[in-house]
Each structure stands twice: as structure tokens, then as C-alpha cells.
Amino acid sequence: MARSSSEIREAFLRFFEAKGHRIVASASLVPEGDPTLLFTNAGMVPFKNVFLGAETREYVRAVTSQKCMRVSGKHNDLENVGHTPRHNTFFEMLGNFSFGDYFKGEAVEYSWELLTERFGIDPARLAASVFREDDEAYELWREKIGLPEERLFRLGEDENFWSMGETGPCGPCAEIHIDFGVNGRCRSAHCDPSCDCGRWLEIWNLVFMQFNRDAAGNMTPLPKPSIDTGASLERLASVLQGVPSNFDTDLFRGIMDRIQEISKIERGTNAEHDVSMNVIADHARALVFLIGDGVIPGNEGRGYVLRRLLRRAARHGVLLGVERPFLFSVGDAVIDEMASAYPELRERRAYVTDRIRREEEHFLETLSKGLVRLEEDIAELEASGSKVLSGEAVFKLYDTYGFPVDLTADILAGRNLEIDEVGFDTAMTAQRQRARAAWKGSGDERVAEIYGRLAADIRTRFRGYSELSGTSTVRALLVDGERREVAACGEAVEVVVAETPFYAESGGQVGDRGTLRVPGGVVEISDTQRPALELVVHRGVVTAGELRVGAEAELAVDADARAATVRNHSGTHLLHAALRSVLGSQAMQKGSLVGPDRLRFDFTHDAPLDDGEIEAIEDLANLWIERNAPARVREMPYAEAIESGAVAIFNEKYGDVVRVVQFGDFSTELCGGTHAAATGEIGLLKILSESGIASGVRRIEALTGLGARNHLRRQENALKTASELLRVPVADVPARIEKLLEDRRAADREIERLQSAQRGEASKDLTRDAKRISGVRVVAARVASAGAKDLRAMVDDLRSRLASGIVLLAAERDGQVSLALGVTQDLSDRFRAGDLIREIATVVGGKGGGRPDFAQAGGSDPSKIDEAFERLDALIAGS
Ligand code: ATP
Ligand code: MG
């Protein structure tokens, strides 16, 4: 019974929903707030903090279909992709989760029931492996499921102990495999699922989450043992559709068709071509989903991974004989295939394909530059008689020019040359270490742990959507990252209370400030943060008395600051909507910062905005403000919100129930921030600046309300002052300034003319004093304090008056000497100005140099100027 992949995805979710699991939407491929991880690499990643006990959800069972990437870190399948039937870089992981609810027994039973009953897989084709020391799991499979011992294996840590990365949640696991039966390829006497002969296909991993591994490798038990499972849709589909590989499933059909169409090569006719097609199809999916999740090609971190994937794919295109941009078209086929499961792709289609196309064009250009460089390297190599291109050179081609190593090797082989592979590996390792170093240092682990523990027993309720003040009990105090019972006057403190009106920084909106009073103490709160989803800490200083755990506190948010922040936040939403309306929906939010005194909004767009666009955006936002549309705030399931057209932000992690903030029919966003009751409250929106902050990312800074009015007032005052100084009405200021600038230029020209006339007079006098030494006319004179530029002009002038001769001028200024020396053209083979001045400068204690016909020098001893003149005479006489 062949099932389509969308049926499989749906069936998986519904099966577990019926068993009390909440269906949670896939999180972004870019993990939120986890610098240890480049990409989401398993279904459990968005739940990491739930396993650690630092975050709670309103459900204890969940089921997801999670977008995953395995191209870096602990789980890296990049080199496998295309060569094995079962590996993709991007794939969807189907998984069920228990957060301290059920454990091994149910996990095993559910998986068996789904595979054999719902999906109808013949139990005789299934095998399982468990961690060697996990007797409990072994017994479960043996007794409860009745799996015969010849298809039940105990394997070691490498196979059956799962961890997300170097640190984080981990535990023993049980893996379910398809047994394709003995084949001729296996030479092992004890073939088990760890064998890569092709007999086994791992389809599902059930992880019994029990530990948290820290950076030192210590394993501490998790608060509650939990379940995390993962089975890729791609592998399940290959099994249920009875095809030989992930690439032969319906998920890839449209994509492969497109590649065959473009390359005019049929799949299945040549093994190497098949690999290339697999790689292209795989990478095209990765490109689409990464760019769709806000990653932009670049030279480091995620952007670099994206760039490399694209280059690899393009390179495989070349192997198929396609040497023009084509991946964007394959990306288009990916979106056709995936848009029903990921509707946001449809909206981002133009943006995603355009990005791919431009990056491809860029790469093809780089490739041709790399070829030129490689030719130079080869020429050098051949000249030197060596046969091996250094690892450094190969790495440089690869790193700077994006030139794939196998291509370098191919080209060299054609000339009977080779690459230094060891040298290349060394250079590569060094680069990896640099990259890894850049990803370390994710913050203070000790403090994170304290927060984690606090979050496990305190949950702060946020009441600040409707209230700006309230009372609550002080539940915990931290001073310098340590828990305390009391904080004294003058101490910086972090306060945790049971309920708070203070908004904790998130979604770009800054944390509230205000005051917290207890009987006998006051804390000025300067910031509010949320180290875990439901843990709020108020940061401040005890300014009077003391503060104790257990005290009843009066909390009051700084209402003015909050009101200003609210105007800026709602203003940001209107700005976002206006941007999309004026520039198109590819202008997507990349980040924002909303505080009481400003708002900053970063978005994807390729060109600077022109004045017309900025005005149109500002006008539209202000039009919506004038309409005074009321805010409509609702909570609803994520999927429903997206369907209704709400704009989700790149890289934001959303729970399954989201808060939707809507103004009129023009702005609907998923947002947890505080907002105006109606757009009229914003008052006015004024864009201050627009600039580029990274390739493809622009930033707008703007003001609203009072801030905008103050800004306009300042501008107005500056203009008024200008009009008073210029004594013209404001409207005439620009014309007046233009006139003044014109006058100024005329005056400069006049000064220049007069100076030059003056120089002429002075030179005329000097030529009269010219002497003759060895037949050469020589002028050597002091001139009144003049700058280097004037000296030069005078030397030029004298040279042309003399027609033939040598000129040396000296000027004294602030105890320093400037010398300038000119030699006329006809004497240039006898005297070189540079050589002469070098000698002469030493007399006045300085240095100099210049061209054969003109040279300058400085010196520090004005009393020696006459001596310098004598030296010139002597040099000429002695020549
Ligand atoms: P393998 O050894 O085959 O690479 P794994 O042990 O790395 O698999 P897990 O980390 O246990 O896999 O991931 C859980 C499940 O995710 C696997 O059982 C498989 O169904 C799926 N999976 C893992 N890696 C990939 C991949 N690169 N492409 C497609 N599916 C994958
Ligand atoms: Mg693997």
C-alpha cells in the first residue's frame, strides 16, 4: 500500500494526537538562543529547555514534524549525501515527545503499533537495537513486543547512546531498523545493524532522555526522565513506498523531474550522474528552507554553510554539463513540492529563488576568477619543476574563490600534477578550529544553571498587558549570580516575584523599568529579563533599606517609558506592514529593537531605498495612524494564525498557541509585546535614517509620538537659527546658502589670483639675483613664511622664468625649515633634484627626497639655511 509522504506526515501526527500528544508546529532551522548549535538537527532541539527543566509547557506530550539540517557539528551527513540511499542534509524529522510523562514502555509500544498496525509493515522485516547496558529496554522488546532474539541487538555507545551535541540532553536509545535480509555484500560473521553492508536501514530512534552533559563531560540526571523520538519522513516514505532510496520517494519526484529537464540527462543511466542529481536535489531543498528561515549566504557561520551547499550543488550542475544558473529553478520545484506543508514558502517564493539565482551568478563569476588563479599557480608550479600544488594554495582556492577541491584535483590531474592533500587537510583543520572557536563562549554556564534551577520551581505570571502596577511576593533574590535571602542598600540585585506587571525583554521590545517597594526598602528597576520562558528577573539597585525573600512588594512600571515603548512597538508593526506594501512581501523582518526612545527595524532588501520609497512608507504608516484603527489581540493555534495571513518573523520561535496582534486590515503579526489600544496613540511616525547593515539587509531607524515631535522641533529650531543668521525667511534659506557658497568660491578664486601675482613679483626679483656657477644659473633664496604648496608653486614659477637653471627656496616657520628645489629639464642628466636635496637637507638637520626635477625637504635648524645654500653651490661647482 503506497502512501504519499503528506499522508505519512499527517498519519504520524494524528496517531500521536489520538494518544494525547499536542501537535506542535515545526520551529525554525535556526535554533533560538542556542549559540552551541548552528542548525536544528533533531526534533528535540526546540524542546531542549523543557527537557532540562528550565522551561515548562502546558502539555507533557507533544508530536512534531520538525525541519532539520545535518551539515555541521556532531551530526554531519554532508559527505554521505548523494552516495547513500538514506542521508539528506535537510529532512523532516517526525517525533513524539514525553516531558516527564510516559517512559520506555509506552514509547516502544507506540512505535510498534504505528509501524506494524497503522503503516502495515510486516513485523518480520523489523529489527531493534538497544544500548548494551539497557536490560530494561531489551526485555521490553523481547517480552512485550515479542521480537525474536535474532532481530534484537545490544550495541555500544556509538550506536545506541544519543546526544544532541557536545553538551545538552542525552541518553540511551533504542533504534528500529528495517531488515532487508542477507545480501552478497556482507563479509561479517555477525552482521548487526551497525554494519554498513546495506542489509539494515535505521528508520526510527527512540531516545530515553535521562542526562544533561555539561562542557566538562559530566552527566547529571535530568529532573524527569523523558522521551524523545525521531524518524525521518524521507526514510519512512522510502520504506512505505517500497523504493530504493530517499531520493526515489514522491518528496523528490518533482525536483528530480526538473533536474532531468534542465540537464537533459535521465536518472538511472549513469551512477555518477545519479550522485550529482541526488546532491543537487538535496541541496536545493536545503537552500530553500535555509533561505526561507532567514539565512543569507555569507562568509561565516550559517551563511557560510549555505554558501558552500549552493557551490557544491552548482559544481554538480557543472558535472552534469549545466554551466549556467539553474538552481533557482530547482528551488522553484522544491517550493511547489513543499508549499502545502509549509505555506510560508509560497509567500517567500520570489525572495528565495531570487537569492539563489544571484548567489549562483556570483559563484559562476568566482569560479572563473578561481580558474585564472589556478592557471597562475600551475604556471608557477611548472616553472619550479614541482609536481605537487601546495595545500596552502589549494586551500586558498577553496576558501577565497570557493573553488571545490575535487575540481582543482581534476584539473591538475589533466596536466599530470597533483594536490598536497595532507597540507590541504592541515589548512582545513586550522580553519575549522577558528570556526569552532568563534562558536564557543556561549555565556556564563554557572548563571544559566542557577536560572535553570530557579525556573524549575518558580513561574512568574506576567500581568502587564493590562496593568502597570500590582503587588506580589518576592520569591528569590540573586546578587552577583548567587542566591541570597537579603539584599542590602547599594547592592545590585535580581528580583524574582510571583506575578509582575513588568514586561521582560523579548521579541525586540526592551524590558520595563520602574520601582519595587517593600516595607522598609526600595529597588530601582532598570531592566527586566526573561532567562527562561516563564521566569522573569527584575534587575536593579536597592536604593533604600533592604530587600528580603518573602516580602510583599509593590511593583510599579515607569508608565511614561512604557507608553513611549508601546507607541514605538505598534509603530514598528505599521512600519513593517508599510514596507511590505511599498517594497513587496520579500521585505521581511530580520530583527528589531523597540525601546522608549527609539525603534530600529532590520529587514531583507537588496537596494538602498530612495527618497520616494521612504516617503511612501512614512505616508502609509501615518495614514494608518490617522485611521485610529483599534488593536485586536487574540490567541490561537499557530497554524490558524499563519493561515489567516499573520506575519511570522524569521528565526522567532513560536509555541503552538500564539498571540496575534492585529490593527485594522493592514497589519497582523504574531507578537507577544505590549501595544497601543488603537493606532492613533502612536501620534506620528518619522523615519530618521535608512542604511545597509549587511549584504541584503537594510535598517530603518524611526521615532514616534513625542520623540518624533521633539525631533521635528529640533530640526525646526536649527532651521530658524539659520534663517536668523542669514537674515532671510526660512523658505529662502537653501537659495541663500547656495548664493553664499557661490560667493565664497568666487572669493577663493580671487585670492588665488592675487597670490599668484604676488609670487610672480617675488620671482621676478629673485631671477635678477641669479648667479652662475660652473655655467649653471642658480637661484637660492629665503622666502617669507610659506607652506609647502606655495613653495612648490614658486619653484615652478622660477624654473620657467629661468628657462635653464636650479632653484632652491627656503622658508622658516615655527622654528622649522622647509626646502624646495627645482631643476630645469635641460639639466636633468647632470643634476637630480632628489639627490641634491638629500645632501642639503642634512645641513639643516633634516631629510628629504623627490623626483629628478623637483624635491622637497624639511629640517629643524633654521640657523643653518645659509650654510645649506653654500652646500648647493659646492655641489654644483663640484659636479
Ligand atoms: P544514521 O546512522 O543512519 O546516520 P543516525 O543514527 O544519525 O542515523 P539519529 O540521530 O538517531 O540518526 O536520527 C533519528 C532518525 O532521523 C533516524 O532514525 C532517521 O530516521 C532520521 N535521520 C537521521 N539522519 C538522517 C539524514 N541525514 N537524512 C534523513 N534522515 C535521517
Ligand atoms: Mg547519522
Side-chain angles (χ1 to χ4, degrees):
M1 174 183 36
R3 292 164 189 268
S4 74
S5 49
S6 46
E7 281 164 8
I8 297 169
R9 191 192 290 113
E10 183 72 11
F12 190 98
L13 297 173
R14 296 291 168 216
F15 174 84
F16 284 101
E17 187 182 41
K19 301 212 180 290
H21 292 63
R22 175 78 64 90
I23 300 181
V24 177
S26 174
S28 169
L29 280 171
V30 178
E32 191 199 37
D34 190 344
T36 64
L37 200 59
L38 219 46
F39 297 110
T40 302
N41 60 8
M44 55 72 64
V45 170
F47 300 115
K48 180 183 167 192
N49 282 333
V50 186
F51 288 119
L52 294 177
E55 187 186 323
T56 49
R57 299 281 171 101
E58 55 186 39
Y59 43 83
V60 291
R61 298 178 174 208
V63 56
T64 64
S65 170
Q66 172 64 47
K67 299 180 272 189
C68 291
M69 279 294 295
R70 291 196 167 181
V71 284
S72 58
K74 182 163 187 344
H75 295 283
N76 186 345
D77 289 330
L78 186 61
E79 301 301 329
N80 286 332
V81 168
H83 301 279
T84 74
R86 66 178 200 278
H87 288 107
N88 303 104
T89 58
F90 167 86
F91 61 94
E92 291 174 80
M93 192 183 282
L94 301 166
N96 54 297
F97 304 90
S98 148
F99 310 119
D101 187 36
Y102 62 85
F103 201 45
K104 295 183 191 181
E106 287 93 328
V108 168
E109 279 172 29
Y110 291 159
S111 65
W112 191 255
E113 181 185 338
L114 178 63
L115 292 177
T116 57
E117 290 173 30
R118 186 67 160 261
F119 287 151
I121 299 178
D122 176 1
R125 295 180 66 205
L126 292 170
S129 58
V130 301
F131 183 46
R132 194 181 296 119
E133 293 153 31
D134 193 348
D135 295 333
E136 186 189 351
Y138 190 92
E139 287 314 314
L140 273 167
W141 285 107
R142 184 71 210 91
E143 301 302 324
K144 267 213 169 145
I145 304 296
L147 202 64
E149 262 158 36
E150 63 273 19
R151 277 185 285 114
L152 179 54
F153 304 87
R154 290 178 186 262
L155 297 178
E157 201 161 313
D158 277 355
E159 303 293 329
N160 280 74
F161 194 93
W162 197 89
S163 42
M164 178 192 89
E166 298 309 326
T167 63
C170 53
C173 59
E175 292 181 334
I176 305 175
H177 312 263
I178 298 286
D179 180 358
F180 289 105
V182 184
N183 59 43
R185 284 187 300 279
C186 189
R187 252 168 254 121
S188 161
H190 313 279
C191 184
D192 66 32
S194 68
C195 183
D196 57 7
C197 64
R199 172 171 172 184
W200 313 93
L201 173 67
E202 175 194 328
I203 51 169
W204 200 346
N205 192 351
L206 317 177
V207 184
F208 312 129
M209 283 290 184
Q210 273 170 290
F211 305 103
N212 180 23
R213 185 169 12 214
D214 68 17
N218 302 317
M219 305 229 280
T220 39
L222 294 176
K224 293 177 197 152
S226 297
I227 291 295
D228 149 38
T229 86
S232 68
L233 176 61
E234 288 70 9
R235 288 193 195 174
L236 279 181
S238 77
V239 170
L240 296 176
Q241 293 169 9
V243 293
S245 83
N246 295 2
F247 300 101
D248 296 289
T249 63
D250 60 344
L251 285 162
F252 282 87
R253 195 164 300 139
I255 303 167
M256 289 297 182
D257 285 349
R258 181 66 55 89
I259 298 171
Q260 298 185 95
E261 216 171 88
I262 294 171
S263 65
K264 309 212 165 50
I265 293 178
E266 212 175 304
R267 226 173 143 248
T269 50
N270 170 314
E272 278 175 24
H273 286 161
D274 286 353
V275 169
S276 290
M277 290 187 178
N278 291 351
V279 171
I280 292 167
D282 172 85
H283 290 8
R285 297 203 322 158
L287 298 178
V288 165
F289 278 91
L290 285 173
I291 295 173
D293 273 350
V295 181
I296 290 178
N299 284 327
E300 54 193 22
R302 302 186 174 108
Y304 187 56
V305 172
L306 172 59
R307 176 162 282 167
R308 282 193 49 215
L309 286 172
L310 183 134
R311 291 177 170 188
R312 281 179 112 233
R315 158 85 179 119
H316 280 279
V318 173
L319 292 178
L320 294 180
V322 187
E323 301 199 7
R324 56 177 196 283
F326 74 105
L327 289 170
F328 69 95
S329 165
V330 182
D332 219 31
V334 172
I335 297 176
D336 289 341
E337 186 64 51
M338 304 301 277
S340 58
Y342 299 90
E344 65 274 14
L345 287 180
R346 206 169 289 136
E347 182 189 329
R348 295 174 188 171
R349 185 191 292 267
Y351 170 76
V352 169
T353 52
D354 194 47
R355 264 261 159 249
I356 297 177
R357 190 177 43 71
R358 274 181 306 133
E359 180 69 13
E360 277 189 282
E361 282 167 356
H362 176 64
F363 174 61
L364 292 175
E365 226 168 78
T366 335
L367 203 61
S368 60
K369 278 193 204 133
L371 272 175
V372 172
R373 162 96 196 190
L374 180 57
E375 284 305 326
E376 288 168 9
D377 286 346
I378 291 176
E380 245 174 64
L381 206 60
E382 284 173 339
S384 76
S386 162
K387 294 237 162 264
V388 183
L389 185 59
S390 75
E392 289 282 311
V394 179
F395 182 73
K396 171 128 191 135
L397 275 164
Y398 162 81
D399 193 48
T400 313
Y401 297 93
F403 213 73
V405 182
D406 52 351
L407 183 59
T408 307
D410 278 0
I411 295 174
L412 287 175
R415 315 267 187 103
N416 252 334
L417 303 168
E418 53 186 325
I419 62 174
D420 171 6
E421 285 186 24
V422 177
F424 174 77
D425 287 344
T426 312
M428 193 66 193
T429 313
Q431 151 96 356
R432 284 222 186 90
Q433 273 159 359
R434 283 196 297 277
R436 205 171 304 141
W439 276 96
K440 281 235 171 101
S442 54
D444 193 330
E445 297 222 350
R446 187 178 55 90
V447 175
E449 251 180 72
I450 291 182
Y451 285 143
R453 261 183 267 133
L454 272 178
D457 53 55
I458 305 174
R459 221 141 280 156
T460 320
R461 281 192 51 185
F462 175 58
R463 319 210 50 138
Y465 286 131
S466 51
E467 291 156 25
L468 288 180
S469 61
T471 54
S472 183
T473 316
V474 176
R475 297 286 308 273
L477 295 176
L478 291 179
V479 176
D480 283 339
E482 303 283 352
R483 283 188 77 159
R484 282 272 202 87
E485 284 303 303
V486 192
C489 189
E491 279 188 313
V493 65
E494 289 180 315
V495 191
V496 180
V497 298
E499 334 188 310
T500 183
F502 281 69
Y503 182 81
E505 175 168 352
S506 57
Q509 181 177 333
V510 301
D512 275 334
R513 54 196 197 213
T515 49
L516 179 153
R517 287 169 197 281
V518 290
V522 180
V523 184
E524 293 295 338
I525 307 290
S526 55
D527 188 18
T528 309
Q529 290 290 328
R530 203 174 67 182
L533 195 62
E534 292 173 282
L535 179 73
V536 174
V537 300
H538 305 77
R539 297 198 170 137
V541 173
V542 182
T543 54
E546 60 167 34
L547 184 65
R548 274 182 186 280
V549 172
E552 275 300 292
E554 302 247 352
L555 294 118
V557 173
D558 177 337
D560 289 343
R562 166 69 88 77
T565 303
V566 154
R567 282 193 292 270
N568 279 337
H569 201 158
S570 300
T572 305
H573 283 209
L574 299 198
L575 182 65
H576 189 186
L579 272 167
R580 290 164 65 91
S581 153
V582 171
L583 303 176
S585 64
Q586 80 286 350
M588 274 176 288
Q589 177 162 354
K590 281 290 287 179
S592 69
L593 180 81
V594 178
D597 46 7
R598 64 189 174 135
L599 75 86
R600 198 173 81 193
F601 188 80
D602 301 341
F603 59 102
T604 51
H605 191 64
D606 285 316
L609 306 196
D610 62 34
D611 289 347
E613 286 168 327
I614 292 183
E615 265 177 38
I617 290 162
E618 206 177 81
D619 283 349
L620 192 53
N622 283 303
L623 184 84
W624 290 331
I625 292 172
E626 278 164 27
R627 279 199 210 153
N628 198 24
R632 193 164 164 230
V633 180
R634 284 163 297 164
E635 299 212 327
M636 61 176 83
Y638 176 84
E640 196 179 305
I642 295 298
E643 209 124 289
S644 78
V647 181
I649 311 300
F650 271 164
N651 302 350
E652 283 274 312
K653 187 174 80 180
Y654 297 102
D656 37 317
V657 173
V658 292
R659 188 164 176 270
V660 178
V661 177
Q662 181 175 1
F663 292 108
D665 56 359
F666 40 84
S667 163
T668 308
E669 286 195 32
L670 305 192
C671 181
T674 60
H675 281 280
T679 54
E681 269 176 44
I682 301 167
L684 174 69
L685 185 134
K686 182 76 206 144
I687 293 177
L688 287 186
S689 68
E690 188 273 340
S691 58
I693 56 166
S695 154
V697 184
R698 313 289 310 171
R699 166 171 294 175
I700 282 187
E701 297 195 71
L703 297 170
T704 64
L706 185 62
R709 291 208 308 280
N710 284 340
H711 168 76
L712 293 179
R713 171 114 356 112
R714 278 193 300 276
Q715 305 275 74
E716 193 185 1
N717 284 343
L719 204 50
K720 251 193 226 155
T721 310
S723 102
E724 280 160 22
L725 288 171
L726 297 169
R727 297 211 184 75
V728 293
V730 164
D732 295 347
V733 165
R736 178 79 202 163
I737 291 177
E738 229 160 79
K739 173 86 175 43
L740 284 175
L741 288 175
E742 182 45 45
D743 290 353
R744 167 73 192 263
R745 277 190 289 273
D748 285 346
R749 279 194 298 273
E750 182 62 12
I751 291 169
E752 177 59 30
R753 195 184 62 74
L754 289 172
Q755 278 175 340
S756 139
Q758 220 172 30
R759 272 197 302 271
E761 283 306 309
S763 320
K764 225 183 281 167
D765 291 344
L766 289 174
T767 43
R768 250 178 261 132
D769 297 339
K771 43 190 173 178
R772 217 171 247 288
I773 302 170
S774 307
V776 178
R777 288 184 80 194
V778 178
V779 172
R782 287 168 188 269
V783 292
S785 75
K789 201 170 140 217
D790 290 325
L791 271 184
R792 182 188 188 116
M794 286 179 77
V795 167
D796 281 346
D797 194 51
L798 278 165
R799 258 197 317 192
S800 53
R801 273 171 202 276
L802 280 179
S804 170
I806 296 177
V807 182
L808 173 62
L809 297 180
E812 192 187 327
R813 203 181 203 175
D814 305 328
Q816 298 289 315
V817 188
S818 303
L819 299 173
L821 188 144
V823 177
T824 53
Q825 191 62 45
D826 59 315
L827 300 176
S828 62
D829 43 342
R830 286 178 61 198
F831 302 102
R832 303 178 75 83
D835 294 345
L836 291 174
I837 203 118
R838 251 189 299 280
E839 289 272 330
I840 296 164
T842 57
V843 179
V844 292
K847 276 200 208 117
R851 305 189 317 250
D853 63 332
F854 180 81
Q856 274 176 310
S860 52
D861 191 352
S863 70
K864 299 275 177 60
I865 290 179
D866 286 334
E867 226 173 277
F869 290 162
E870 284 161 21
R871 176 66 66 88
L872 174 67
D873 293 353
L875 285 170
I876 297 171
S879 72

